[in-house]
Amino acid sequence: MGHAKTSYVCLPCRASYKQPYLGDHDRLCPRCTEPLIHVGSAVATPRRRDAAAWRTLSVLLNAGVRFHKSCCGGSGYRPRTLREVRERMAYARRTGEPFTRALVRRELP
């Protein structure tokens, strides 16, 4: 039986690649040879020309947020716009909640 495929992203190229997951093995982008980021199998990458969506994805990935499936619910909530990211950053600063946790919060209190 073959390995299930998962997504890897190159932020500089704005490209996504589905490849088998073989552990913590470094993978390089075939376009620019920069390291690829393992993002999980439940990611919906934006179109290459959608710069704002790629900035949002970049903030999430650099904060440590990934898109791994959990049983039936998918990866849970992830912000889709920079406005949502800014709201959650402000909430995290105001309350002291860790930035990563504030980013995946569905609704802000």
Side-chain angles (χ1 to χ4, degrees):
M1 182 189 259
H3 292 282
K5 291 191 176 183
T6 187
S7 292
Y8 293 84
V9 168
C10 178
L11 293 175
C13 293
R14 296 183 189 165
S16 173
Y17 303 96
K18 288 258 187 193
Q19 298 178 355
Y21 181 72
L22 303 172
D24 288 336
H25 162 246
D26 287 337
R27 296 173 185 264
L28 300 177
C29 175
R31 299 175 97 202
C32 69
T33 68
E34 289 291 318
L36 293 172
I37 300 170
H38 179 225
V39 294
S41 59
V43 67
T45 53
R47 294 184 182 269
R48 186 170 285 138
R49 65 181 171 267
D50 189 350
W54 277 97
R55 277 194 301 271
T56 302
L57 182 61
S58 175
V59 169
L60 294 173
L61 296 178
N62 287 322
V65 176
R66 296 297 185 262
F67 299 83
H68 298 288
K69 289 182 183 175
S70 63
C71 188
C72 302
S75 63
Y77 174 79
R78 301 294 186 262
R80 291 192 173 264
T81 65
L82 288 172
R83 188 180 127 250
E84 290 175 330
V85 168
R86 282 192 292 272
E87 288 172 352
R88 281 154 178 73
M89 287 173 61
Y91 172 79
R93 276 190 230 105
R94 193 171 57 246
T95 63
E97 183 173 27
F99 184 51
T100 304
R101 191 175 311 150
L103 281 172
V104 297
R105 187 182 269 282
R106 182 167 292 281
E107 294 184 23
L108 297 177

